[in-house]
Amino acid sequence: MADARAEGSILIVDDEVASPIVSAVRRRLEADGWRTVAVEPEGGWRSGDEFEAAALYAIEEAKPDGVLLDVRFGDARDDLFKGLDILRKIVTAHPTLPVLMFTQYAQGPDRETAVRSTLRWDAPVDFIDKLASPEEVVLRLRRLIGTAPEVIRMGGRITLNVSAKTVTVTGKSVEVSGPSGPAALADIHGMRFEILRELAVAWYKSPGRLVPFSALERYSEGEDARASLRVRVREIKDVLGKALGEHLGAGDLIINVRDQGYRLMPKE
Amino acid sequence: MLRRWLASGRLRVAAAALAAAGTLSAALAPLLGEAVSESLWGIEPMAYAGGVALIAGLGLLTASYAARGMPAGGPAASGEGQAPERWSEITQRYFEVFHHDLGRPLSRIVGKERELRAALQERSGEIDPAVADLLDEIERQAPNFRLMMSNLQALIQLEGGPTTVREDAVEPAEVVRRIVERYHGVAVEAGKQITWWSEPAEFGIVYSDGSAIEHIVTNLIDNAVRFAAGEVEVKLTRNPTHFFVRVWDDGLGIPAQYVAHLFDRGWTPEAARRDEKVSSGLGLFIAQTLAARQRGGLTVESVTVPDPDHHTGFLLSLPLGRSTGAPPA
């Protein structure tokens, strides 16, 4: 998965924050551009209540973009579902703050529904299994937080800057290297840029999601919009291929899927 | 009505009293008989009556406990009474408790595997492909375990007998997106791709059972990723009364003689070939049963090699639910 410069922060509230599972998620979030902050209650004794107080304090202080919250805090009977108490307090105090519940319990929609029924109907809350891959956790948080970042990095070498409307490629090609780092690819602008942006944002939000022709044909001209679109996609691939120093064939980077639309498929 | 009467506590008390009286009569018959009369004529009727009372009492007790603890006529025949639902609820509760502990060892193994992968990457930049394959194999057990737990959970609910068809507001595109995210990494590691889309792009909501949809589609995508040669496609469409999820893969296809058994409980292609079983054979059975309970259907079509268009496509169709005038549950 390529990285995006998310430039936001995620608060992690888990009593096993040093465990391999949480550490792997933390590493993946940081590789994705997120700054992670772990809640550490003061003092040696770390009960569920202390985690609750520390979490609510950290939200006020750090103002994170999202929270990754465990359900179970220790084996004490009162702390088995402490995360759900903390969740309710977060939703009450910060109704727009996205919270991803990180749990080992078989949640299932029944329990999720039961928990949700005690929250605001529009609370940005989701549940994920602790056995989920770190990548899945990142994708779920991205979705929950909602907005696509200003800068999307695809496959490590291609970077698309949404607000500057530029595409840069890092690597061997002399042609794209400027004095202060990689220069923007001058040939990807206007409608070509918009097509690539549509594909990049869709891919960022859900890798594997196809963008139908209908959503892309507005960036083409002429009577045969489909053919015009095909030409523009070919041009984008030619420019990027040249900058990357490799030929981008039909099965590379931008794929035409069974005459339904296009999807981005950057190399890992 | 009869089952409720059989399952009642009063009947069990009466049956126990009857059995006790029968035992007592049978035991005392020789003594009482001799006391009542010099001849033995009184013993036999008393022993006989005591035996009948004992058998009847025990029979009633057994029937009463059976009616209380099990669905009459099997799991599917639980339209009346609360016993199956109660059985399902209790089993479900135990399952949830144990699921946490069952998941813990795998969680530790997968955690260590991820730690090892990170350490190897940090040390040498790139992991030896053979080692990476082994680590990937461990990583693949996580989604397998999650699906297995999910199948068991669904099976417990199904064994509880028919329940009311749920009509919650569900976004099918969101459900599909989550499942694709779950399998994206697994597919990429295996050199495969999952592509998904919906028509219309803004698919909107339906009124259905989100849990059932997620369960069915997860099983279909799990199968497709396993058997695809390189491509898996998931397409969501709708008409005025139903919505459809088509899961397609470019695998070798399923031979016609197997298609008839695909949805049988416990059937796997390995069983037909006498190979080692790598799946439980529950997934498609559960998926089709759940689809039928939601008043929908699950069908399959497949083209096998050597046809160049070889593929397998599963089509799930479910009613849109109350807001669109679809038949109410």
Side-chain angles (χ1 to χ4, degrees):
Chain A
M1 173 61 56
D3 305 329
R5 298 293 92 194
E7 293 173 357
S9 66
I10 303 292
L11 183 74
I12 299 174
V13 190
D14 195 312
D15 61 334
E16 295 177 341
V17 77
S19 69
I21 288 282
V22 180
S23 299
V25 167
R26 205 169 172 181
R27 274 194 302 273
R28 187 63 189 79
L29 279 167
E30 285 167 1
D32 202 54
W34 299 95
R35 194 162 50 81
T36 61
V37 182
V39 165
E40 294 282 358
E42 289 180 8
W45 182 252
R46 304 186 310 164
S47 68
D49 284 343
E50 280 174 292
F51 266 103
E52 179 181 306
L56 295 171
Y57 178 77
I59 290 169
E60 293 290 346
E61 284 294 300
K63 304 215 178 314
D65 297 273
V67 179
L68 187 62
L69 173 61
D70 192 14
V71 169
R72 183 170 174 157
F73 287 83
D75 292 322
R77 182 177 283 271
D78 290 347
D79 291 341
L80 285 183
F81 295 100
K82 186 67 189 175
L84 300 180
D85 293 339
I86 300 175
L87 172 68
R88 287 186 194 99
K89 291 194 175 157
I90 292 175
V91 170
T92 306
H94 306 276
T96 58
L97 179 63
V99 183
L100 183 60
M101 299 300 293
F102 200 37
T103 172
Q104 219 160 43
Y105 281 94
Q107 284 294 333
D110 288 345
R111 178 165 292 167
E112 282 189 30
T113 305
V115 173
R116 280 178 196 283
S117 67
T118 66
L119 305 173
R120 285 167 55 110
W121 68 272
D122 57 349
V125 173
D126 205 349
F127 293 80
I128 196 162
D129 197 301
K130 273 198 168 174
L131 277 172
S133 67
E135 183 185 41
E136 193 183 340
V137 177
V138 169
L139 289 170
R140 196 69 69 79
L141 269 169
R142 279 184 188 176
R143 173 73 172 177
L144 206 54
I145 292 169
T147 52
E150 285 292 290
V151 177
I152 301 175
R153 239 169 59 192
M154 300 167 277
R157 293 184 63 195
I158 305 169
T159 304
L160 183 139
N161 188 316
V162 177
S163 52
K165 297 201 170 189
T166 57
V167 178
T168 52
V169 171
T170 53
K172 300 170 192 168
S173 177
V174 178
E175 192 184 351
V176 294
S177 297
S180 55
L185 298 175
D187 287 335
I188 298 186
H189 59 83
M191 290 186 184
R192 287 182 203 146
F193 177 84
E194 294 303 326
I195 291 168
L196 191 57
R197 183 187 57 77
E198 287 270 1
L199 293 169
V201 170
W203 166 82
Y204 172 81
K205 289 184 173 173
S206 175
R209 179 150 204 185
L210 172 142
V211 182
F213 288 128
S214 56
L216 294 171
E217 280 171 358
R218 57 189 149 150
Y219 304 119
S220 56
E221 296 165 323
E223 285 184 11
D224 190 346
R226 187 75 52 94
S228 167
L229 179 63
R230 200 162 46 236
V231 170
R232 286 194 193 286
V233 168
R234 185 65 257 162
E235 289 168 350
I236 294 168
K237 288 173 77 164
D238 284 346
V239 173
L240 288 172
K242 202 171 167 190
L244 289 164
E246 58 186 87
H247 172 72
L248 296 181
D252 299 317
L253 191 64
I254 303 172
I255 319 285
N256 181 334
V257 182
R258 293 161 65 84
D259 293 325
Q260 297 288 337
Y262 288 100
R263 64 165 286 206
L264 201 65
M265 196 177 77
K267 280 184 186 164
E268 294 295 311
Chain B
M1 192 67 190
L2 175 67
R3 205 161 65 90
R4 194 171 293 171
W5 175 79
L6 272 176
S8 70
R10 282 183 187 172
L11 180 73
R12 282 194 297 280
V13 172
L18 184 63
T23 309
L24 199 63
S25 300
L28 295 179
L31 302 174
L32 288 173
E34 275 185 27
V36 169
S37 162
E38 290 297 316
S39 66
L40 293 176
W41 70 267
I43 297 174
E44 283 181 4
M46 222 174 146
Y48 181 76
V52 169
L54 175 63
I55 291 165
L58 288 176
L60 273 174
L61 264 177
T62 308
S64 181
Y65 277 112
R68 182 187 174 211
M70 291 171 61
S78 62
E80 52 177 317
Q82 298 298 310
E85 287 80 0
R86 185 170 156 70
W87 177 83
S88 174
E89 192 187 318
I90 292 169
T91 317
Q92 181 81 16
R93 209 175 296 154
Y94 276 113
F95 177 79
E96 286 194 12
V97 170
F98 292 130
H99 175 269
H100 180 266
D101 292 324
L102 286 172
R104 202 186 274 270
L106 183 62
S107 172
R108 287 184 66 82
I109 293 167
V110 170
K112 293 291 178 195
E113 170 263 317
R114 287 173 190 168
E115 212 166 53
L116 178 64
R117 193 189 290 263
L120 287 173
Q121 237 155 9
E122 202 172 312
R123 189 176 302 168
S124 54
E126 204 165 306
I127 304 174
D128 182 283
V131 177
D133 274 352
L134 291 173
L135 296 177
D136 289 347
E137 181 59 35
I138 299 172
E139 187 71 39
R140 268 196 290 276
Q141 298 314 310
N144 284 351
F145 178 82
R146 290 165 78 186
L147 182 61
M148 189 177 78
M149 287 292 121
S150 167
N151 275 340
L152 282 175
Q153 207 165 10
L155 200 60
I156 291 167
Q157 279 165 357
L158 290 177
E159 294 288 347
T163 50
T164 316
V165 176
R166 286 173 64 159
E167 286 210 328
D168 305 326
V170 180
E171 281 183 79
E174 178 66 12
V175 175
V176 169
R177 187 188 63 77
R178 288 162 70 121
I179 302 167
V180 171
E181 279 174 8
R182 186 183 300 181
Y183 283 91
H184 175 75
V186 176
V188 169
E189 276 164 15
K192 301 171 187 179
Q193 293 293 330
I194 313 177
T195 305
W196 76 276
W197 70 97
S198 67
E199 288 174 4
E202 296 298 325
F203 199 79
I205 62 167
V206 301
Y207 292 88
S208 189
D209 183 340
S211 163
I213 299 171
E214 180 156 355
H215 196 87
I216 297 165
V217 178
T218 302
N219 272 293
L220 298 182
I221 292 181
D222 185 86
N223 270 341
V225 170
R226 196 174 302 173
F227 294 110
E231 297 292 332
V232 174
E233 290 176 7
V234 186
K235 181 182 176 185
L236 257 173
T237 52
R238 61 195 291 168
N239 71 16
T241 58
H242 286 72
F243 70 100
F244 308 89
V245 185
R246 183 168 188 262
V247 179
W248 180 98
D249 71 72
D250 64 351
L252 301 175
I254 305 166
Q257 70 268 29
Y258 290 175
V259 169
H261 300 289
L262 268 186
F263 299 105
D264 291 353
R265 183 174 179 159
W267 189 88
T268 67
E270 303 89 68
R273 292 194 301 264
R274 300 187 178 191
D275 291 344
E276 182 191 0
K277 272 179 106 174
V278 294
S279 59
S280 64
L282 288 175
L284 289 176
F285 161 75
I286 293 172
Q288 197 179 51
T289 310
L290 282 174
R293 287 208 176 171
Q294 289 301 118
R295 303 183 183 210
L298 178 62
T299 55
V300 62
E301 54 89 20
S302 191
V303 175
T304 54
V305 284
D307 190 313
D309 187 33
H310 58 86
H311 68 269
T312 299
F314 284 89
L315 183 68
L316 168 69
S317 57
L318 292 171
L320 289 174
R322 61 176 184 240
S323 68
T324 52

